[in-house]
Amino acid sequence: MRVIRHVAELQQLADRERSLGRSIGLVPTMGALHAGHLSLVEQARRRTDRVWLSIFVNPSQFDDPKDMDAYPSTFEADLRACRAAGVDVVFAPGADEMYDPDSQTWVDVDEITLPLCGAARPGHFRGVITIVTKLLLAAKPHVAVFGEKDFQQLAVIRRMVRDLGFDVEIVAGPIVREADGLALSSRNVNLDAEARRQALVLCQALDAAERAVAAGETRSKALLQLVRQEIGKAPRAEIEYAELRDPESLEVAPPELARATLLALAVFIRPPGAAAGTTVRLIDNRVLHPQP
Ligand code: AMP
């Protein structure tokens, strides 16, 4: 397994692999790898001859520097996990390699970035889309794999690839969960035992909504009320958003659901009372399928 730090070296390798007729699958990550990331490696492996994984904690997508400082880093363990998973190349550039201080160019996607995670975090998706563009230009992959865990990110990337005519296939990997339902996330290490327990309300709320839809509920208002009620059961959980949206355009769902609809959640798990500690922001989602 090669570890590459520089864009030019990666581009040269991409050209070589392509000239030899080999296909490249890229899995972009911010490191602190877990089984969710490794499931994306598997998705790439099934489709391409070479699997490349990037590790880059992208400063331009964090609106709060404290959030970036609290982001976990486990580089040596990540390399071991990649080796064990059969990754061929780990691309781990420094911040200077990806961002020239003199750079004036950003990639921005319009309406689809405005709701959900974009509403509370201005500039977040500009950072995400700019770095994904740079990674696609650096690795020249045939396939790039992203998780449905970050559903809006996936929708925005698909939109950008379509709008700019990128010659890459975007593949989505399903959300990988712990046995009790908690979606795997690099941020879960920042949850203490009690916060970890309360964090289960996210998937419990999704389960409750799914059960209600299976039982015939189609009213948006009733479903969102149910979700808020479920999350309200955890005293340390505070909703940033809980919304029903079209899975492709991310437009607000109609009052009566008639087709597949995204239920997207972002919840803060706060330290108890006024205690100092890390507030952890978790996201989760599910596509609901109302009965015809
Ligand atoms: P991150 O390192 O958190 O930026 O995530 C890198 C990629 O892994 C993104 O495409 C995420 O959507 C994906 N990912 C993160 N958590 C999970 C999970 N639990 N299941 C599947 N994919 C995930």
Side-chain angles (χ1 to χ4, degrees), residues 151 155 244-254 259-262:
F151 199 97
L244 289 163
R245 298 218 162 227
D246 179 89
E248 210 175 304
S249 68
L250 300 189
E251 279 165 13
V252 178
R259 54 197 184 103
T261 302
L262 172 71

Side-chain angles (χ1 to χ4, degrees), residues 28-31 34 36-37 39-40 61 71 145-150 153 173-177 183-186:
T29 81
M30 296 208 296
H34 51 63
H37 298 115
S39 74
L40 305 184
Q61 72 186 67
Y71 203 82
V145 191
F146 297 87
E148 286 175 351
K149 162 91 183 339
D150 299 85
Q153 172 174 286
I175 301 175
V176 176
R177 299 177 178 279
L184 294 187
S185 163
S186 305

